[in-house]
Amino acid sequence: MDTNKRPETMQRITTFELANAFIEEQVKAVREQVGDKKVLLALSGGVDSSVVAALLIKAIGKQLYCVHVNHGLMRKGESEAVVDIFGKTLDANLIYIDATDRFLDLLAGVAEPERKRKIIGKEFIEVFADEARKLEDVTFLAQGTIYPDILESVKQAEGKKAVKSHHNVGGLPEDLKFELVEPVKLLFKDEVRVVGEALGLPHAMVYRQPFPGPGLGVRCLGAITRDRLHALREADAILRDEFDKNGLAEKVWQYFVIIPDMKSVGVKDDSRYEGWPAIIRAVNTKDAMTATVEEIPYAVLHKIVARITNEVEGINRVLYDLTPKPTGTIEWE
Ligand code: XMP
């Protein structure tokens, strides 16, 4: 039997009842697979790895070692939320690595988007592998693979061309050999979310908007600098806050801020004020292959402009990108 193929008879998980049955079944399967051995998991804080972590904590508790690598390109409050939920509330074995300097030093002066992606992906593996080598006797690697990932690899194996290299994590180095534990690999995203809520994860984490692996790195356009990255993180937090307060977070699939590597002339306190523009992107899509732009009420836009320009050092304008995909991709890099 091909264990990577979803059986046609498999029921779609739409209710807590179905989710609980799935959880029970997977807890049993994981315990059988793993026995008393140790399992390692790269916990990004995204929906898939978080749900796998919660499921494995339920199944094997402290036999699971979660490694959270903060590459310095996370959104405001994100790594803190991982530490809070998994380290504190769920009392997991959580290894938190602040690798900000490692990543930002390597990225200094690198402007080409695909090179940035490659550097981030490769360094991520290295930081994770360093931690994996420190832990002894780990037999298994858990992954938040979901069914669309499997379908996507099938497509790629058939030679379909990609616009960007979205693959965040390549293979681990040769000396690290693990058996895989992939408890949600036959589930679609909406099912993973139902399972996550049934496991008691916070709604905000489970319904989090998609966030690319290279994080804010592909939204701080061109060569990343710490001051522009800081401005981006703050402006993005304001945008998310206003979307939450105005009921847009539930309506819009993905919304974020981009800051290009350019300045324009502005005025502040009667003086010339050269600053970066913050660009807002807010799109709806079914499969990320095409996307439409959300109509944000003018009053909300004005509030966002006022808050970003007043509260964020270095920004003097806010623009709204009205381009659908195609021709614009969702991210700018
Ligand atoms: P684009 O920009 O290609 O984005 O229209 C489509 C979706 O993919 C996300 N994206 C990425 N996700 N690694 C990821 O994990 C990446 O390098 C990457 N680049 C884009 C993007 O946020 C959107 O949801």
Side-chain angles (χ1 to χ4, degrees), residues 116 216 218-225 227-229 231-232 257-264 275-280 314-319 332-333:
K116 285 164 71 177
L216 299 182
V218 290
R219 297 177 180 170
C220 189
L221 304 186
I224 299 167
T225 56
D227 53 354
R228 196 154 49 90
L229 181 62
L232 169 60
V257 169
I258 297 138
I259 302 196
D261 184 14
M262 61 153 287
K263 284 187 172 175
S264 71
W276 303 293
I279 300 165
I280 299 171
I315 295 182
N316 64 357
R317 289 173 198 272
V318 180
L319 314 178
W332 272 44
E333 287 193 336

Side-chain angles (χ1 to χ4, degrees), residues 16 45-47 50-51 81 85 189-190 192-209 244 249-251 255:
F16 271 17
V47 180
S50 296
V51 171
I85 293 163
K189 196 81 175 193
D190 54 313
V192 176
R193 296 192 208 275
V194 181
V195 169
E197 281 212 291
L199 283 163
L201 288 176
H203 183 85
M205 178 169 252
V206 169
Y207 282 85
R208 200 182 90 142
Q209 58 166 319
D244 275 340
E250 307 277 309
K251 264 180 72 188
Y255 47 97

